[in-house]
């Protein structure tokens, strides 16, 4: 079996330099030395012993990422977020284990337990609730970054300002002259959805509009948005002239529902989504959306987690990201050219 010492002899370096190249650190290596090591690795067919590496470093070099996607892993937000997490983890020398709790608390607990049994070095929890007992069990054993507004104090917490985003979306529709603005939302007990709905209510109150207005709940999916929008748009007497959907998938489903009812977007009903998924730029008309900095959040979450793994007892971090309105044709704004 080819060893690290064999690679070092052929490359003309020390075994420690070989280790730094293979592990991307912890010490820097000159470009020339790195090239010699990589050439020697290729020539000799060297494969590091992962078990020995883990024993030496007391790490498994794996990160667990658990999403809470009721649409079965199809949400653009979760897909884009986990992809960006994986990219940063790979660059830092870590592999990613991915689980989808499908909004099921028992399944979420099961994934947390299994990933800890696999001795992952850290966890990213994307809107995944953790019981107090489980959270206490994790204290001091594995660093955790949550993408949510509420979490135990020893978890790092990242989130977007959902209420302000809901306010921006509704305010924009009000500025277009709409007064009957419906809400196509997921279950309101899901924290981000409830906060986006509260932002909508705040904008309506500021405009002097009382009451909740037309609301229809549906699954956080294309189909859920379609079904909820049908319920709101079928009534001709009090039909809303605009819809704010709690995620982009629901907004796209709502646009299809409007088309099936013979309604034009935005002439008969304006539509605004929330997420900033890439797909929003490709609908016809383009979907106006409240854009979350998904890639930035994912990079920040992964870097924060890796930092906590490599610097034991690092203080937990709390960071709230701003959301940005991206206007397109679905609300009545001019349609941008190209891909929006």
């Amino acid at each position: 079996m080819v060893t690290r010492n064999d690679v070092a002899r052929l490359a003309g370096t020390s075994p420690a330099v070989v280790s730094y190249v293979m592990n991307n650190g912890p010490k820097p290596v000159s470009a020339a030395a790195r090239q010699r090591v990589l050439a020697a690795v290729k020539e000799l067919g060297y494969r590091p012993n992962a078990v020995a590496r883990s024993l030496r470093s007391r790490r498994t070099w794996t990160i667990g990422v658990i999403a809470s996607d009721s649409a079965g892993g199809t949400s653009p937000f979760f897909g884009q977020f986990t992809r960006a997490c994986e990219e940063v983890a790979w660059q830092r020398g870590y592999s990613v284990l991915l689980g989808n709790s499908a909004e099921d608390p028992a399944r979420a607990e099961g994934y947390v337990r299994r990933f800890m049994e696999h001795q992952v070095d850290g966890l990213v929890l994307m809107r995944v609730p953790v019981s107090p007992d489980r959270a206490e069990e994790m204290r001091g054993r594995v660093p955790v970054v949550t993408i949510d507004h509420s979490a135990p104090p020893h978890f790092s917490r990242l989130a977007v300002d959902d209420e302000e985003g809901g306010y921006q979306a509704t305010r924009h529709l009000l500025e277009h002259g709409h007064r009957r603005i419906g809400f196509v939302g997921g279950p309101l007990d899901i924290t981000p959805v409830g906060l986006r709905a509260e932002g909508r209510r705040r904008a309506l109150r500021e405009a002097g509009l009382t009451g909740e207005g037309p609301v229809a709940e549906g699954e956080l999916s294309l189909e859920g948005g379609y079904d909820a929008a049908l319920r709101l748009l079928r009534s001709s007497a009090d039909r809303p002239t605009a819809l704010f959907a709690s995620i982009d998938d629901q907004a796209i489903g709502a646009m299809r529902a409007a088309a099936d009812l013979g309604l034009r977007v935005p002439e008969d009903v304006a539509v605004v989504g929330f997420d900033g998924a890439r797909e929003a730029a490709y609908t016809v008309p383009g979907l106006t959306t409240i854009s979350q900095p998904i890639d930035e959040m994912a990079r920040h979450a992964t870097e924060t987690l890796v930092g906590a793994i490599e610097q034991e007892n690092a203080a937990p971090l709390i960071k709230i990201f701003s959301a940005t309105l991206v206007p397109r044709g679905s609300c009545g704004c001019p349609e941008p050219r190209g891909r929006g």
Side-chain angles (χ1 to χ4, degrees):
M1 179 180 293
V2 177
T3 68
R4 185 177 58 178
N5 290 340
D6 297 327
V7 174
R9 278 193 293 271
L10 182 59
T13 66
S14 69
V17 169
V18 175
S19 178
Y20 300 154
V21 171
M22 302 306 294
N23 296 328
N24 288 320
K27 293 185 178 180
V29 177
S30 70
R34 177 178 294 274
Q35 189 58 41
R36 293 200 307 274
V37 169
L38 293 177
V41 166
K42 183 176 181 181
E43 180 177 338
L44 296 174
Y46 173 63
R47 296 291 181 270
N49 186 317
V51 174
R53 180 190 183 204
S54 295
L55 289 173
R56 286 194 303 271
S57 64
R58 293 186 298 172
R59 298 182 201 158
T60 60
W61 301 93
T62 56
I63 290 172
V65 177
I66 306 175
S68 186
D69 184 1
S70 62
T74 62
S75 167
F77 173 85
F78 290 111
Q80 187 173 334
F81 191 100
T82 54
R83 176 67 183 85
C85 277
E86 190 275 337
E87 182 64 28
V88 175
W90 177 259
Q91 292 171 2
R92 296 296 299 267
Y94 291 81
S95 299
V96 171
L97 299 178
L98 177 62
N100 172 26
S101 72
E103 305 285 359
D104 180 351
R107 184 166 168 174
E109 285 274 319
Y111 266 121
V112 170
R113 184 181 66 254
R114 290 184 186 183
F115 283 2
M116 290 183 66
E117 289 171 352
H118 281 81
Q119 297 184 324
V120 296
D121 296 321
L123 285 169
V124 176
L125 305 181
M126 302 168 61
R127 300 173 187 167
V128 172
V130 177
S131 69
D133 289 345
R134 180 68 67 186
E136 190 58 34
E137 178 188 342
M138 297 162 77
R139 184 194 294 270
R141 290 186 56 191
V142 57
V144 180
V145 175
T146 63
I147 312 304
D148 208 340
H149 289 273
S150 58
H154 54 285
F155 289 3
S156 289
R157 172 161 51 91
L158 280 66
V160 74
D161 193 339
D162 289 291
E163 182 179 347
E164 180 61 26
Y167 175 85
Q168 284 186 52
T170 310
R171 187 72 191 169
H172 187 68
L173 290 169
L174 288 165
E175 290 169 353
H176 274 284
H178 297 284
R179 290 297 177 267
R180 188 161 180 80
I181 301 171
F183 182 61
V184 174
L188 296 177
D189 59 355
I190 295 176
T191 301
V193 175
L195 289 171
R196 293 168 195 181
E198 178 54 37
R200 167 181 170 269
R201 286 191 292 268
R202 177 159 63 93
L204 294 177
R205 288 195 302 269
E206 285 187 7
L209 301 174
T210 59
E212 176 73 17
V215 174
E217 292 188 32
E219 186 183 72
L220 291 170
S221 65
L222 294 164
E223 296 83 1
Y226 179 88
D227 293 339
L230 279 181
R231 296 198 299 273
L232 292 179
L233 298 176
R234 274 181 173 147
S235 173
S236 58
D238 56 354
R239 186 178 69 213
T241 62
L243 296 175
F244 166 44
S246 60
I247 66 169
D248 284 347
D249 265 8
Q250 287 182 317
I252 294 170
M255 291 171 69
R256 178 54 191 253
D260 285 354
L261 292 172
L263 301 174
R264 299 166 301 165
V265 176
E267 292 84 355
D268 299 316
V269 58
V271 179
V272 175
F274 197 119
D275 271 344
R278 295 187 179 100
E279 290 81 354
Y282 292 89
T283 60
V284 179
L287 176 62
T288 296
T289 183
I290 300 297
S291 178
Q292 304 188 65
I294 300 175
D295 289 344
E296 181 186 354
M297 289 173 66
R299 286 193 296 269
H300 203 97
T302 312
E303 291 288 359
T304 297
L305 185 64
V306 171
I309 292 168
E310 298 181 353
Q311 301 173 26
E312 294 184 8
N313 301 318
L317 171 77
I318 298 176
K319 183 172 178 62
I320 304 298
F321 292 82
S322 298
T324 306
L325 176 75
V326 179
R328 299 190 179 100
S330 70
C331 66
C333 283
E335 189 74 64
R337 293 185 177 185
R339 294 181 294 173

